Amino acid sequence: MAAHDDAGTLELEQAVDAAFAAGGPLARADAGYVERDVQQVFARAVARAIEARTALVVEAGTGVGKTFAYLVPLLLSGRRALVSTATKSLQDQLFGRDLPRLAQALRVPARLALLKGRASYLCLHRLDQARRGAQLPDRLSVRALARVEQWAPTTRGGDLAELTGLDERSPVIPLVTSTRDNCLGSDCPRWRDCHVMAARREAMAADIVVVNHHLFFADLALRDSGVAELLPTVDVAIFDEAHQLVEAGVQFLGRSLGSAAVIDFARDLLAAGLQHARGLQPWAELATACDRAARELRLAAGAGMRDVRGTLKRRWAEVAGGDGFDRALAALAAGADDAAAALDTVSELAPDFPKLRQRSGDFAQRARQFASPCDADRVRWIDLTALHVRLVESALDIREALDAQRAAAPKAWVFTSATLGDDERLTWFTGPSGLADATTLKLGSPFDYAAHARLWVPARLPRPGDTAHAQAVARVAARCAGALGGRTFVLTTTLRALALVADTLAGQLAAAGERLEVLVQGSEPKRALLQRFLARPASVLVGSQSFWEGIDVRGDALQCVIIDKLPFPPPNDPLVEARVRQIERAGGSAFNGYFVAEAAVSLKQGAGRLIRSETDRGLLVVCDPRLTQMGYGARLRAALPPMPLLRDEAEAMDWLARLAAARA
């Protein structure tokens, strides 16, 4: 590094130290500020990475304060940056709270921008179309569309998140937002007022742009949202909640064909044909053929499957090659070809038609690609829901994509999360990300787990996976929740176990005369369930995957987290099977190198819901005796925060009684 670079690094590190010091700008701006040595270690490492334009991977335990640890050196550096996080809600928190608050405290002028995917922004042209001819399924949808119409003239940015109470699952949202396929671009009559384009312009003019991982990878693959144009112009790229980065990339860097997208196309084809070219082509027949082929593809992909809940992954080999599946793919390609031929004859009549022509060609091409064999270094699978199917082909990791971006333009790359692996080199994350050359830093939590938390592993439970095991977990949960008066999370590894635990738990609590409410994932939107849990501590929340992370309940509202079993990846998942084959071909141990490593990261995520502040106290219960009885259990326990292990249920109930007494 050149001498002036050394001086710059030292200067930035000194500025970082001054910002975090007692009596510094952060302390002056926040009366509750706590100076943490571990946070400053993190921040200095980020400062060095920014000045040297190198890659840094940091695992920072709960309570380190990782958001401020990377934002403070970033703001003080004055460098242009892209910050990516896992979800749109975390995006909103960074953009709306953390960044403005820090910029003000540090007195650093910074122009900020928030960039989301198309589906987050109101499309004025689509809203006009929906007003004229939308077919809505129920009165709730009619009211939702009316709310959007009332809000549309008042919004500046067009972000649907501004509309409180609009369910993200509402059927109105796809009617009033655009996709890459149906956007008319500069031919759109509302182009000058386009909220998506306005967001992109703001991003290109900003000093710091906040995006999310899905948008980041979707845009690298499709160049649809502005990230690909933005990335070469920034000096720093920071990825928070980086443990989700690989899976987000795998989902978006491949190719896919979904029945929902084809059905949307058929609806748009019919609407545009009847509006702009009525009688010139058999639009109803063409749309029906595409719609029928998409629905037949869903039926063929779900052959033999009953009562599909959530999203089910099916092996490609289970379905591909079957007569019904091959016929549906061929029918979809033929229907898309017929639509394309019809659209060619009317392309000059309206700007909708060239885009529809492009979509039909894409569907035909993808249908034929999925009818052909898959490359050896990629994997295919089928995502199945109750109504739709999505065919997916992807690489097994994100190495090539990140390598290409890192080689394209020199910049600092910072990746951080509370869980990135169970070894010092954080190979669980750095391996599939192609970051073996990165500097790694593993920082433990500053919380006093030895004093404030306990771990209990109930003995003599039925074998994990059995119906009897889920019922036993519910009985344990009933006793723990009864001792605390609620204040309990039960985290399950599968949706099947979720239903069994919730039903049995409700019965157990009723039989014991406990007036505790059981809140179950899926009964209401996630945010509403959390609000009810916080408003009424005398409750137990039973959740699956989406509640294992990103949930921050502080104080005595949550004092017990129960995990039903060790969260090993499902061995029959097509992506898991492909990764196992990859490890075994290289001569490695799939069990130690993949299954145990994955379980360690997921277990740490779930356990992280328990202690969220210096004063929190609680009990972690893992209802899987393998944690103490099997050799690999020691490795999994080492991945958890350092909380004492209780010997039996009597000790667990005594600890819970002490927690309850402390609240009195």
Side-chain angles (χ1 to χ4, degrees):
M1 190 186 302
H4 70 274
D5 290 333
D6 288 334
T9 301
L10 181 60
E11 184 178 333
L12 181 55
E13 286 192 57
Q14 289 173 340
V16 165
D17 287 343
F20 282 106
L26 297 181
R28 290 195 298 271
D30 182 1
Y33 174 74
V34 178
E35 186 180 6
R36 296 190 181 101
D37 291 342
V38 70
Q39 188 178 44
Q40 294 181 45
V41 170
F42 187 165
R44 284 194 292 268
V46 173
R48 290 192 292 273
I50 289 174
E51 291 295 335
R53 294 177 179 260
T54 55
L56 171 69
V57 179
V58 184
E59 181 181 272
T62 305
V64 167
K66 60 184 172 66
T67 305
F68 281 25
Y70 64 73
L71 288 182
V72 167
L74 173 60
L75 285 165
L76 291 173
S77 74
R79 305 295 175 84
R80 192 156 192 255
L82 177 145
V83 180
S84 180
T85 190
T87 63
K88 287 187 284 188
S89 60
L90 289 173
Q91 260 189 285
D92 291 332
Q93 177 181 310
L94 278 172
F95 175 75
R97 189 188 73 183
D98 297 337
L99 272 165
R101 175 183 168 192
L102 280 176
Q104 182 178 17
L106 297 171
R107 297 183 180 179
V108 175
R111 186 169 179 177
L112 311 176
L114 181 68
L115 190 60
K116 298 181 180 180
R118 287 182 175 277
S120 295
Y121 297 103
L122 174 68
C123 173
L124 296 170
H125 175 59
R126 300 272 296 170
L127 177 61
D128 291 341
Q129 290 181 317
R131 282 192 186 109
R132 288 195 296 266
Q135 296 181 346
L136 299 172
D138 51 45
R139 290 181 179 178
L140 281 176
S141 299
V142 172
R143 286 199 292 269
L145 180 59
R147 287 191 61 212
V148 174
E149 289 185 76
Q150 291 172 350
W151 165 75
T154 68
T155 179
R156 190 187 75 83
D159 187 346
L160 291 173
E162 297 173 14
L163 259 175
T164 55
L166 180 64
D167 192 331
E168 62 185 16
R169 300 167 295 184
S170 170
V172 167
I173 290 178
L175 297 178
V176 299
T177 58
S178 69
T179 66
R180 174 176 176 266
D181 292 330
N182 64 32
C183 174
L184 302 180
S186 58
D187 291 327
C188 178
R190 306 299 298 271
W191 171 252
R192 290 188 176 183
D193 303 319
C194 177
H195 292 304
V196 171
M197 293 308 301
R200 289 188 190 176
R201 287 192 296 270
E202 288 185 14
M204 291 304 294
D207 302 308
I208 299 176
V209 183
V210 183
V211 302
N212 62 66
H213 303 339
H214 290 89
L215 177 65
F216 177 82
F217 283 111
D219 197 75
L220 291 188
L222 302 173
R223 295 186 173 270
D224 181 48
S225 301
V227 173
E229 289 76 20
L230 174 69
L231 193 57
T233 71
V234 302
D235 304 303
V236 185
I238 297 176
F239 296 85
D240 197 350
E241 300 297 323
H243 65 282
Q244 295 191 26
L245 200 62
V246 173
E247 294 308 314
V250 165
Q251 287 287 336
F252 283 94
L253 291 175
R255 62 170 64 106
S256 65
L257 174 63
S259 61
V262 178
I263 290 169
D264 286 346
F265 164 76
R267 181 194 62 215
D268 293 344
L269 175 69
L270 180 60
L274 295 181
Q275 182 178 349
H276 301 296
R278 184 183 292 269
L280 299 183
Q281 292 289 347
W283 301 115
E285 293 177 25
L286 293 165
T288 299
C290 290
D291 184 279
R292 184 190 307 116
R295 297 182 190 281
E296 287 176 355
L297 185 65
R298 163 59 185 87
L299 290 173
M305 309 299 296
R306 294 181 179 178
D307 193 24
V308 176
R309 297 182 182 181
T311 300
L312 174 71
K313 268 194 176 80
R314 294 202 74 180
R315 295 185 184 93
W316 186 258
E318 291 177 0
V319 177
D323 289 343
F325 185 76
D326 287 351
R327 278 198 306 272
L329 270 179
L332 200 159
D337 283 339
D338 290 343
L343 289 162
D344 282 336
T345 68
V346 295
S347 60
E348 297 180 359
L349 297 184
D352 303 68
F353 291 132
K355 289 299 292 187
L356 287 166
R357 172 62 179 84
Q358 181 182 340
R359 291 166 71 183
S360 62
D362 287 346
F363 289 135
Q365 180 185 29
R366 280 181 246 167
R368 293 188 173 93
Q369 286 171 335
F370 278 106
S372 303
C374 180
D375 293 340
D377 60 346
R378 300 174 75 81
V379 61
R380 282 181 182 169
W381 70 89
I382 296 170
D383 284 338
L384 200 66
T385 67
L387 298 176
H388 295 294
V389 64
R390 194 167 73 104
L391 315 184
V392 184
E393 178 182 313
S394 180
L396 301 180
D397 52 47
I398 60 173
R399 294 180 198 183
E400 287 188 14
L402 275 188
D403 282 348
Q405 293 303 318
R406 290 178 64 198
K411 60 172 61 69
W413 296 80
V414 179
F415 305 86
T416 185
S417 172
T419 49
L420 290 175
D422 64 338
D423 63 337
E424 290 300 317
R425 289 294 302 161
L426 305 174
T427 52
W428 175 85
F429 174 74
T430 57
S433 303
L435 291 165
D437 62 325
T439 299
T440 56
L441 187 60
K442 194 175 173 74
L443 301 171
S445 170
F447 296 161
D448 189 354
Y449 285 94
H452 294 169
R454 298 291 185 270
L455 169 64
W456 175 40
V457 183
R460 296 185 296 278
L461 289 177
R463 188 169 64 87
D466 286 354
T467 299
H469 177 265
Q471 294 168 338
V473 171
R475 289 192 290 271
V476 169
R479 295 195 293 274
C480 291
L484 282 172
R487 306 171 193 275
T488 299
F489 271 9
V490 183
L491 303 178
T492 68
T493 52
T494 65
L495 290 173
R496 177 176 176 272
L498 173 85
L500 286 169
V501 169
D503 289 346
T504 306
L505 175 59
Q508 289 284 315
L509 291 173
E514 299 283 0
R515 302 185 66 178
L516 302 178
E517 185 176 10
V518 178
L519 306 173
V520 185
Q521 175 184 327
S523 61
E524 294 181 55
K526 180 178 175 180
R527 185 177 298 178
L529 281 176
L530 280 174
Q531 288 172 343
R532 287 184 62 187
F533 181 84
L534 290 169
R536 189 173 187 271
S539 57
V540 184
L541 194 153
V542 186
S544 191
Q545 189 62 45
S546 63
F547 284 87
W548 280 66
E549 56 184 275
I551 305 296
D552 189 13
V553 179
R554 303 188 180 205
D556 59 16
L558 175 61
Q559 293 190 303
C560 184
V561 171
I562 299 170
I563 293 174
D564 70 333
K565 63 178 180 176
L566 296 178
F568 289 110
N572 58 350
D573 182 291
L575 197 52
V576 172
E577 290 177 335
R579 286 171 173 162
V580 166
R581 289 194 296 269
Q582 184 184 53
I583 292 170
E584 291 177 344
R585 280 198 301 268
S589 165
F591 184 72
N592 290 318
Y594 182 68
F595 285 99
V596 177
E598 288 280 333
V601 169
S602 296
L603 187 63
K604 193 189 301 188
Q605 278 287 343
R609 299 316 98 212
L610 182 64
I611 304 296
R612 306 299 300 175
S613 74
E614 288 89 346
T615 57
D616 284 5
R617 286 165 170 75
L619 174 69
L620 174 66
V621 184
V622 181
C623 297
D624 193 330
R626 292 176 294 180
L627 188 61
T628 54
Q629 295 173 1
M630 304 301 290
Y632 56 80
R635 178 178 168 187
L636 295 177
R637 292 198 306 276
L640 292 171
M643 52 185 79
L645 177 64
L646 302 179
R647 290 175 297 181
D648 53 36
E649 183 167 344
E651 288 191 352
M653 291 299 124
D654 178 66
W655 175 249
L656 293 178
R658 289 166 59 188
L659 297 181
R663 295 197 315 268

